[in-house]
C-alpha cells in the first residue's frame, strides 16, 4: 500500500512538472491579464499604451454616425437653394441704373422723378460713392421704388436729345464736357454731382460732392416725398432723424 501511494505521488509530480512551460534563460513568466481596450497593458514589466484609433473595431463595435450624410441629389438641391437666396440678396443691393434715353422713355408710361449720378471715369470720389452709398440697402431700395436712376458720364461724346434740344460734347483743353451735364450743373463742373429732375424733366436741384448713405437717403426722401414743396429742409431733417432714432430704439 505504501509503495502504491509513493508511486501515485511520483506520477502526479511528474505530470505537474511536464505541464509547466519551460522559461527561456532570463525570461520571467507573468500571469495573463485581461485589460480593456485603450488601457495600459503590462508586458515584461514595461508599461505601453495602446492606441485605440489604430485598432479596427469589430462589426458589433461599429456605430452609425450621429448625422448621416444627405443624398447627393439633396445636397445639390440645398446648395442651389442657398445660391438662389444669395443671388436674390445681391439683386436687392443693386441700383437699376439706366441711360437718360431709357429714363425718358420709361417716364412716358409711368411718371417718376429722375436721380442722375453725374460722374467721370477719372473721379476718385465718384468711385467711392459708387462702392459705398450706392450699395446701401436703404438707398438702393428707395431709389428703385421711387426714381428712375441714371448714370451720366459728363465727358461722354455722344449727341443727346433732351427736351427737344440736341446737346453735344465740347472740347475744353485736354479734356472737355458734355453740354447737357453743364446745363444740369449750372456750369459748375464738379464731380460727383447728383442731379434731381421732376416728373416733367425739369431740374429740381443739383447736389455737388460726395454724399454718404445717411445724408443721401435723407435727400432722396426729401425730394421723393415732395416735401421740398411744403416743408423747409431744416424741419424735414429734424423729423427724419427723430423717426430714425425711434426705429433704432428697441
Amino acid at each position: 500500500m505504501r509503495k502504491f501511494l509513493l508511486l501515485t505521488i511520483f506520477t502526479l509530480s511528474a505530470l505537474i512538472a511536464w505541464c509547466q512551460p519551460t522559461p527561456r534563460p532570463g525570461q520571467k513568466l507573468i500571469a495573463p491579464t485581461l485589460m480593456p481596450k485603450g488601457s495600459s497593458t503590462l508586458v515584461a514589466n514595461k508599461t505601453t499604451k495602446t492606441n485605440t484609433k489604430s485598432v479596427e473595431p469589430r462589426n458589433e463595435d461599429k456605430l452609425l454616425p450621429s448625422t448621416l450624410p444627405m443624398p447627393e441629389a439633396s445636397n445639390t438641391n440645398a446648395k442651389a437653394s442657398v445660391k438662389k437666396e444669395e443671388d436674390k440678396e445681391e439683386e436687392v443691393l443693386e441700383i437699376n441704373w439706366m441711360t437718360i434715353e431709357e429714363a425718358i422713355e420709361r417716364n412716358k408710361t409711368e411718371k417718376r422723378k429722375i436721380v442722375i449720378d453725374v460722374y467721370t471715369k477719372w473721379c476718385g470720389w465718384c468711385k467711392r460713392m459708387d462702392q459705398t452709398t450706392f450699395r446701401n440697402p436703404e438707398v438702393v431700395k428707395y431709389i428703385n421704388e421711387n426714381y428712375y436712376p441714371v448714370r451720366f458720364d459728363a465727358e461722354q461724346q455722344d449727341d443727346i436729345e433732351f427736351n427737344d434740344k440736341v446737346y453735344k460734347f465740347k472740347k475744353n483743353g485736354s479734356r472737355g464736357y458734355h453740354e447737357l451735364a453743364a446745363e444740369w450743373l449750372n456750369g459748375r463742373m464738379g464731380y460727383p454731382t447728383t442731379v434731381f429732375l421732376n416728373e416733367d424733366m425739369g431740374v429740381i436741384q443739383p447736389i455737388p460732392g460726395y454724399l454718404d448713405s445717411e445724408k443721401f437717403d435723407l435727400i432722396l426722401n426729401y425730394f421723393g416725398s415732395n416735401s421740398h414743396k411744403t416743408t423747409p429742409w431744416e424741419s424735414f431733417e429734424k423729423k427724419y432723424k427723430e423717426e430714425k432714432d425711434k426705429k433704432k430704439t428697441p
Side-chain angles (χ1 to χ4, degrees), residues 13-32:
S13 299
L15 286 172
I16 292 171
W18 181 78
C19 291
Q20 289 286 345
T22 303
R24 293 189 299 274
Q27 180 183 11
K28 294 181 181 180
L29 292 179
I30 301 173

Side-chain angles (χ1 to χ4, degrees), residues 78-121:
K79 289 177 182 177
S81 178
V82 171
K83 184 72 168 59
K84 283 183 180 179
E85 290 299 321
E86 290 176 351
D87 292 343
K88 191 181 295 183
E89 185 176 351
E90 288 180 3
E91 289 176 5
V92 172
L93 296 177
E94 291 183 358
I95 295 175
N96 300 324
W97 295 109
M98 58 186 73
T99 64
I100 186 62
E101 292 89 349
E102 291 171 336
I104 292 171
E105 197 62 31
R106 292 279 297 275
N107 195 56
K108 292 177 181 178
T109 56
E110 182 184 349
K111 292 288 186 180
R112 282 191 186 186
K113 294 180 178 67
I114 299 176
V115 56
I116 306 172
D117 171 35
V118 181
Y119 73 100
T120 61
K121 294 176 182 177

Side-chain angles (χ1 to χ4, degrees), residues 211-230:
L211 299 168
D212 61 35
S213 57
E214 185 175 351
K215 190 75 171 180
F216 195 65
D217 188 54
L218 172 60
I219 297 170
L220 286 171
N221 279 267
Y222 185 60
F223 293 131
S225 62
N226 286 323
S227 297
H228 62 287
K229 296 180 179 179
T230 59

